[in-house]
Amino acid sequence: MDPSFIWGDLVPALNDGLLVTLLLILPSACLGLLLGILTGFSRIFGPGWLSRIAAAYATVFRGTPLLVQLFMLYFGLPGIGIYLTPYIAAVAGFSLCSGAYHSEYIRGGLLSIKQGQVLAAQSLGFSTWRSMIHIVIPQAMRRALPGCGNELIYLVKYSSLAYIITCIELTGEGKILASKTFRYTEVFLVVGLYYLTLVSLASIGLQKLESRLSVPGFGKHG
């Protein structure tokens, strides 16, 4: 590898792309989690019509490729008069797809809490709402955390699809520079190291969060 190319051309270009990648990941992660929580709760506790809508949303966005969803948002919506910038289309696509997967993890966490715990709380004078807030939700969130954490890691990696709709992030900057210099091996090796670093940092943070929120013995025997 040529150090002058790595440090003089490649790293500065990738750092610009890294900033865009982070600006894609952070809002998409927050919006996706929020959407997942709302959808997961709607599927379990919502009225029939809302539960069906939430289930249909999860099915559509989990059952179709993210790339197709991005194409529909960026290239398809102009056909009905809705125009999104590449950045907004990418964030919308990542948030909607991520929210669908989060909803499954949260739904599973809610269903894993035995109904007897709610009945026991109500027998002690807890209302249904207080039982949910103090008994069900804290346990369900702990059980959903590993799955939601995995979805965040997936989001880091599939943020690389944004360049296909002309939102030039880390992979996009790498592809542009590789096309100009024909140094594909060097460029994408360093791009891969950037993503490996991001995923590693996210994994460490999630492990610390799980450890901080863990309760001894919780989840080992149902």
Side-chain angles (χ1 to χ4, degrees), residues 15-86:
N15 284 343
D16 291 339
L18 176 62
L19 177 59
V20 178
T21 292
L22 293 175
L23 291 175
L24 287 169
I25 292 170
L26 293 175
S28 299
C30 294
L31 290 172
L33 181 59
L34 177 60
L35 188 55
I37 290 172
L38 294 175
T39 304
F41 272 83
S42 296
R43 294 179 68 181
I44 301 298
F45 302 110
W49 63 269
L50 183 58
S51 178
R52 287 190 291 272
I53 291 174
Y57 153 69
T59 299
V60 169
F61 282 91
R62 289 173 62 239
T64 55
L66 175 58
L67 187 58
V68 172
Q69 297 167 23
L70 292 174
F71 281 162
M72 288 298 296
L73 288 167
Y74 187 63
F75 297 111
L77 289 182
I80 58 173
I82 300 175
Y83 297 87
L84 302 179
T85 65

Side-chain angles (χ1 to χ4, degrees), residues 120-144:
Q122 291 174 342
S123 70
L124 294 173
F126 281 65
S127 65
T128 301
W129 179 248
R130 288 187 63 200
S131 299
M132 293 296 301
I133 294 295
H134 296 289
I135 306 296
V136 176
I137 292 176
Q139 296 182 76
M141 291 298 102
R142 285 185 174 92
R143 289 181 172 171

Side-chain angles (χ1 to χ4, degrees), residues 74-159:
Y74 187 63
F75 297 111
L77 289 182
I80 58 173
I82 300 175
Y83 297 87
L84 302 179
T85 65
Y87 175 78
I88 295 298
V91 170
F94 296 153
S95 299
L96 290 167
C97 183
S98 185
Y101 283 96
H102 279 307
S103 72
E104 282 296 305
Y105 302 129
I106 291 165
R107 174 175 170 268
L110 291 169
L111 290 174
S112 72
I113 308 304
K114 294 180 179 179
Q115 185 64 23
Q117 295 190 41
V118 178
L119 296 175
Q122 291 174 342
S123 70
L124 294 173
F126 281 65
S127 65
T128 301
W129 179 248
R130 288 187 63 200
S131 299
M132 293 296 301
I133 294 295
H134 296 289
I135 306 296
V136 176
I137 292 176
Q139 296 182 76
M141 291 298 102
R142 285 185 174 92
R143 289 181 172 171
L145 182 58
C148 291
N150 281 337
E151 181 57 28
L152 174 60
I153 290 173
Y154 292 143
L155 177 60
V156 172
K157 292 186 288 186
Y158 59 58
S159 66

Side-chain angles (χ1 to χ4, degrees), residues 150-216:
N150 281 337
E151 181 57 28
L152 174 60
I153 290 173
Y154 292 143
L155 177 60
V156 172
K157 292 186 288 186
Y158 59 58
S159 66
S160 61
L161 294 175
Y163 87 93
I164 294 177
I165 57 170
T166 71
C167 182
I168 305 302
E169 38 59 76
L170 184 56
T171 300
E173 290 286 359
K175 187 176 185 299
I176 290 171
L177 190 58
S179 298
K180 290 179 179 178
T181 63
F182 297 98
R183 298 188 179 193
Y184 288 91
T185 301
E186 294 169 271
V187 169
F188 285 107
L189 179 60
V190 177
V191 168
L193 291 174
Y194 270 73
Y195 281 109
L196 181 61
T197 301
L198 288 174
V199 168
S200 298
L201 291 173
S203 298
I204 292 170
L206 289 165
Q207 288 174 1
K208 290 184 178 296
L209 181 60
E210 286 185 41
S211 177
R212 186 177 183 84
L213 296 178
S214 66
V215 175

